[in-house]
Amino acid sequence: MVKNEGHKLQRVVVCEPNREYFSVANLKEHNIGQVADRTKALAEHRKLQGLLKASGSQVVKIKELSGHPNSVFVRDTSLVTPKGYIQLRMGLRTRRGEEAWAAAALDSLKVPCAGKIEAPGSVEGGDVILAGKAAFIGRSERTNSSGASQLSRLLARMDYEVRTIILPPTHLHLGGAMSMVSSDTVLCYQGMFPKDFFRGIATIEIHENESSSANVIALGDKTVIVEKRNALAAQSLRLAGFTVRTLGLSEFLKGRGGPTCLILPVDRS
């Protein structure tokens, strides 16, 4: 289970692209910027899997959902908590159906279900970050007020202090603006969050620009995975004493996703 996304990653679900991610008839409808190159995308994804395995994590692969090119971005479908998984509800209409698909995979892994977001609520996993005693929720075009309220109630029952922020329309998900990089440290954009938003948590701040992102994977033991073009984050993390594993994900950036979007953490300790 997962209480804090900065804890050591032990088990993770991924969806290796095979056909659906490369068969996009309407890019705008699926919010994909450009069709990816299959050979490059597979090589990038398998390198990601290799880094996860090398860190000691068990990698569970599931097949793409037919007709859903975004199913490769498996994080958005579910939130695994200390009490089990919460089945989310996609904010992007063309992603509806991925929630039950991911739930079936988690059921097969014997992860209990701890709740479900119901219509008209929507929550995508990229808008939720668990940080031990605190849980952060981003209100975005993908996560609406009803969904955020439902999720807040579920997390409050697990003794999380829920902290919510309304994201500017330029941000798809909260996970692009902040990531837990250890159990007590967050990487985040400077000046974007309220003064006390991260109370009790140390911050590593980076300036927001076209080439920077706070979207990084915490592996544990102060080791992180950073997309190789994200030089500002990599430099800031190294200066803070972190070990940085860089990885090219150009073919997933075309789908408007980053490193954390490609994994669904199931166990962290």
Side-chain angles (χ1 to χ4, degrees):
M1 306 297 183
V2 178
K3 184 175 179 62
N4 186 321
E5 295 203 46
H7 286 164
K8 184 172 178 60
L9 189 60
Q10 292 186 311
R11 184 166 57 152
V12 61
V13 169
V14 301
C15 177
E16 183 177 283
N18 179 41
R19 183 176 67 87
E20 303 303 325
Y21 187 56
F22 314 109
S23 306
V24 189
N26 187 323
L27 293 172
K28 184 177 181 180
E29 183 180 51
H30 294 283
N31 192 45
I32 291 175
Q34 185 180 348
V35 176
D37 178 280
R38 187 177 187 278
T39 300
K40 291 180 180 178
L42 278 170
E44 290 176 351
H45 201 278
R46 286 170 181 170
K47 186 173 181 181
L48 170 63
Q49 293 176 48
L51 289 175
L52 295 169
K53 291 175 182 176
S55 76
S57 178
Q58 177 188 359
V59 176
V60 179
K61 289 198 294 183
I62 59 175
K63 294 181 180 180
E64 294 171 300
L65 179 61
S66 179
H68 288 259
N70 279 303
S71 56
V72 68
F73 299 118
V74 68
R75 177 185 175 93
D76 291 323
T77 61
S78 310
L79 176 70
V80 179
T81 75
K83 301 293 186 181
Y85 76 88
I86 297 173
Q87 183 175 321
L88 304 180
R89 183 170 183 267
M90 298 294 97
L92 184 65
R93 183 186 58 80
T94 56
R95 297 199 68 178
R96 300 270 167 83
E98 293 178 35
E99 307 96 334
W101 160 79
L106 292 169
D107 289 341
S108 72
L109 296 174
K110 309 301 182 185
V111 180
C113 182
K116 182 178 180 181
I117 303 302
E118 303 284 359
S122 66
V123 178
E124 294 193 355
D127 277 326
V128 191
I129 295 171
L130 303 180
K133 294 181 179 179
F136 300 100
I137 300 176
R139 282 271 313 280
S140 68
E141 290 186 1
R142 304 293 186 85
T143 298
N144 64 21
S145 59
S146 173
S149 295
Q150 292 179 52
L151 183 60
S152 293
R153 289 192 293 271
L154 288 167
L155 293 175
R157 292 175 197 152
M158 301 177 195
D159 296 323
Y160 280 103
E161 177 195 349
V162 180
R163 306 178 193 176
T164 303
I165 185 172
I166 297 176
L167 298 174
T170 51
H171 286 263
L172 179 64
H173 286 136
L174 178 63
M178 65 168 283
S179 292
M180 294 301 295
V181 290
S182 71
S183 61
D184 59 359
T185 306
V186 63
L187 175 73
C188 62
Y189 280 144
Q190 186 177 55
M192 180 173 169
F193 298 92
K195 187 176 181 180
D196 65 343
F197 196 66
F198 296 121
R199 59 189 177 278
I201 301 173
T203 58
I204 300 171
E205 297 184 329
I206 59 175
H207 292 288
E208 180 179 359
N209 60 52
E210 291 182 359
S211 61
S212 73
S213 172
N215 184 324
V216 306
I217 296 173
L219 296 173
D221 303 321
K222 295 193 75 172
T223 301
V224 295
I225 295 176
V226 178
E227 209 285 327
K228 71 176 184 180
R229 294 160 185 76
N230 196 2
L232 182 58
Q235 180 185 36
S236 298
L237 287 161
R238 288 190 178 106
L239 287 173
F242 285 78
T243 299
V244 177
R245 310 293 188 203
T246 57
L247 171 66
L249 292 172
S250 63
E251 302 311 299
F252 299 99
L253 296 178
K254 291 176 180 178
R256 308 192 196 283
T260 63
C261 309
L262 294 167
I263 68 167
L264 176 56
V266 177
D267 290 303
R268 287 184 180 272
S269 65

